[in-house]
């Protein structure tokens, strides 16, 4: 994250104007994972890879009744956790990440989720997207969460030309003060689901249309 992105004054003004549009359009924006602790959010963000938040919420409403803390997850018998999260997809890999992360939390962090980027990135299965989500949501440490919606919409808006999440994160961090970073990520999820969808973006009805730089926006009119 060391390289700095240089932003023109005009582009900064466009970014500010778009942020205001999203603020007015999505006043109730929030994380759509129903978590009650940093550890629950950590587990849920691992499960959310290639899965919907709605599915993760359903699975976890039962999961967190059976497994209440890192020790419960660390000590699950082989196959039990896998079966419980099967419908989230990639369940073997996700179960391994959750179990090994739980063990590391017990061994090195007294069973607590650390409020520190470098420490979070040491946990198996945890990358910058998950770390930024946990830090921003649970500890007030701002970061841009680059998920599939953020990557697609941010590219279309013209705030980045990259597909690599680390480069997108860097470009977005240069646009706004830190207090905007986490909430911008939530705006991207809401806008990406409701309007700027992957296959059929509703450009004709989009409140950001005047300021969006996507060249195809005028020819993709949908209801
Ligand atoms: S104008 Fe179209 S491409 Fe641009 S943000 Fe809106 S829906 Fe997405």
């Amino acid at each position: 994250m060391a390289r700095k992105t240089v932003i023109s004054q005009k582009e900064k003004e466009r970014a500010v104007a778009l942020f205001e549009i999203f603020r007015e359009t999505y006043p109730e924006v929030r994380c759509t994972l129903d978590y009650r602790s940093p550890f629950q959010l950590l587990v849920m963000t691992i499960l959310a890879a290639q899965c919907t938040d709605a599915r993760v919420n359903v699975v976890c409403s039962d999961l967190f009744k059976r497994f209440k803390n890192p020790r419960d997850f660390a000590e699950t018998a082989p196959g039990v956790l896998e079966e419980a999260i099967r419908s989230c997809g990639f369940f073997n890999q996700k179960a391994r990440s959750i179990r090994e992360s739980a063990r590391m939390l017990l061994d090195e962090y007294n069973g607590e989720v650390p409020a520190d980027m470098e420490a979070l990135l040491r946990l198996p299965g945890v990358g910058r997207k998950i770390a930024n989500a946990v830090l921003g949501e649970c500890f007030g440490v701002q970061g841009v969460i680059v998920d599939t919606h953020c990557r697609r919409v941010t590219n279309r808006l013209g705030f980045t030309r990259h597909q690599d999440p680390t480069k997108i994160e860097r470009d977005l961090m240069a646009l706004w003060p830190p207090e905007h970073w986490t909430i911008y990520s939530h705006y991207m999820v809401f806008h990406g689901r409701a309007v700027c969808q992957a296959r059929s973006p509703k450009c004709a009805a989009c409140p950001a249309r005047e300021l969006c730089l996507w060249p195809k926006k005028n020819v993709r009119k949908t209801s």
Side-chain angles (χ1 to χ4, degrees), residues 82-99:
E82 285 81 350
E83 197 53 41
I85 65 170
R86 175 180 283 269
S87 66
C88 292
F90 302 98
F91 55 91
N92 283 320
Q93 185 186 330
K94 290 177 181 179
R96 190 164 52 246
S97 293
I98 293 169
R99 200 181 283 115

Side-chain angles (χ1 to χ4, degrees), residues 155-158 196 198 201 203 211-218 220:
N155 265 280
R156 287 176 177 172
L157 288 169
C196 194
C203 298
L211 295 172
C212 175
L213 300 185
W214 195 41
K216 298 179 187 172
K217 66 180 179 180
N218 291 319
R220 290 270 186 113

Side-chain angles (χ1 to χ4, degrees), residues 11-29 157 159 175-177 179-180 183-184 187-188 191 207-209 211:
E11 186 60 358
K12 280 192 176 166
E13 287 169 8
R14 190 175 76 92
V16 168
L18 275 164
F19 193 90
E20 285 308 310
I21 288 170
F22 290 128
R23 195 204 302 264
E24 285 173 17
T25 308
Y26 305 108
E28 307 293 331
V29 79
L157 288 169
F159 287 147
L175 282 175
W176 296 294
E179 60 267 28
H180 285 12
I183 198 160
Y184 172 84
Y187 290 149
M188 293 298 94
H191 194 60
R209 187 170 181 230
L211 295 172

